[in-house]
Amino acid sequence: MADPQVRVVGLTLDLHPVPEPFDFEAQAGEVWMLVGAVTSGRGELIRVIAGLDRPRAGRVELFGADPERLSRRASVQLRSRIGVVLEQTGLVPAWSVFENLALLIKYHRLAPDRAVEDHVVKFVEACKAPIAILSRLACDLSPLESRWVGLLRALIIRPRLLLVSAYLPQETLTAGYDVRTFFEDIVVPMNMTILVDAGPKALPMGPDTRLLVMDQGTVRAVGLVSDLAEHPDPQVRHYAGSSHA
């Protein structure tokens, strides 16, 4: 079996009170929903996997490697395969949407300079977003538009791992096209590993969706929605039952 895309071993999040350590693995192409109360540690786990925060103990392996043991250059290359969507979108306010997206293409050398514009336009078209938004300044975007451009920014590098720690509005940039359909049509076919802590109602979930149920900074249950629906813990059953399976 291939190495998992994400493996956490003996991980203890840096929370108070100190939570129990836990292990977790996510394989290529799997979609995981991190569910639990606001204080359950969902967002903290995403930030640790993304390399933005450090745990109290334990380690995180990505694509079969421990980023802490790699050279700086190798670690940067590894991180370039990860798309991250946070509440703060990271867009440069004074730049146009095109400039914000093109920066990622140039930085990761995904296309020669002469082909960057064509690359961005084709990507936005493939995502069924309006081309007109490329000329808008990031500072002029509505909160909904800004959140969606932040997601496009994470996806344009074609990551192998997508980490979402932000609420994604039901409405996309295109009228009549919702977030569930967007993920079904655009994101899931990219065959990346997806970890989302934004809640089960925002994204498509079914019996084959995987849940990571968290509580007080540790893992309460792990498994497919269909398996957890009969879990002895009523809290776990609640999350499995609210998945719209």
Side-chain angles (χ1 to χ4, degrees):
M1 178 181 292
D3 287 325
Q5 300 290 81
V6 178
R7 174 188 283 141
V8 300
V9 181
L11 198 73
T12 304
L13 296 175
D14 192 13
L15 299 174
H16 298 282
V18 179
E20 292 293 321
F22 62 90
D23 300 339
F24 168 68
E25 292 186 358
Q27 300 290 337
E30 292 181 344
V31 179
W32 284 88
M33 302 297 293
L34 281 59
V35 296
V38 174
T39 57
S40 64
R42 297 172 303 159
E44 288 81 1
L45 176 57
I46 291 286
R47 291 183 63 85
V48 166
I49 293 173
L52 300 173
D53 289 340
R54 297 181 66 87
R56 182 180 294 267
R59 72 179 189 274
V60 175
E61 297 176 4
L62 301 173
F63 317 118
D66 182 347
E68 299 295 326
R69 296 175 179 267
L70 298 176
S71 67
R72 176 179 174 80
R73 181 176 180 180
S75 181
V76 169
Q77 290 177 335
L78 181 146
R79 297 289 179 187
S80 72
R81 291 180 274 174
I82 304 173
V84 183
V85 184
L86 303 176
E87 290 292 340
Q88 299 298 323
T89 60
L91 301 177
V92 180
W95 288 8
S96 69
V97 171
F98 171 79
E99 290 171 316
N100 273 281
L101 296 179
L103 175 65
L104 276 295
I105 301 300
K106 295 175 181 178
Y107 180 79
H108 295 293
R109 300 179 180 179
L110 299 178
D113 289 346
R114 66 182 181 278
V116 169
E117 181 176 358
D118 186 56
H119 190 104
V120 172
V121 169
K122 286 184 177 180
F123 172 77
V124 172
E125 288 178 335
C127 290
K128 301 183 182 180
I131 297 300
I133 200 169
L134 291 175
S135 62
R136 300 268 303 279
L137 292 179
C139 60
D140 292 334
L141 299 176
S142 70
L144 181 151
E145 291 170 329
S146 180
R147 186 61 49 80
W148 275 97
V149 171
L151 176 60
L152 295 180
R153 188 173 181 269
L155 292 174
I156 200 168
I157 63 172
R158 301 283 178 175
R160 291 175 58 191
L161 171 64
L162 177 66
L163 304 172
V164 180
S165 185
Y167 171 70
L168 297 177
Q170 292 293 324
E171 305 82 8
T172 67
L173 294 170
T174 302
Y177 194 55
D178 62 42
V179 63
R180 293 169 63 89
T181 307
F182 178 85
F183 265 76
E184 290 171 344
D185 291 353
I186 307 298
V187 183
V188 173
M190 289 184 178
N191 197 34
M192 66 186 75
T193 304
I194 304 171
L195 274 65
V196 181
D197 86 326
K201 294 183 180 180
L203 298 177
M205 298 181 66
D208 295 331
T209 302
R210 292 165 173 81
L211 292 185
L212 184 72
V213 184
M214 299 192 68
D215 181 41
Q216 298 182 348
T218 193
V219 172
R220 196 180 190 105
V222 177
L224 296 173
V225 165
S226 55
D227 294 336
L228 297 181
E230 303 298 328
H231 196 278
D233 187 325
Q235 184 176 354
V236 174
R237 292 199 306 274
H238 164 74
Y239 287 113
S242 66
S243 64
H244 308 289

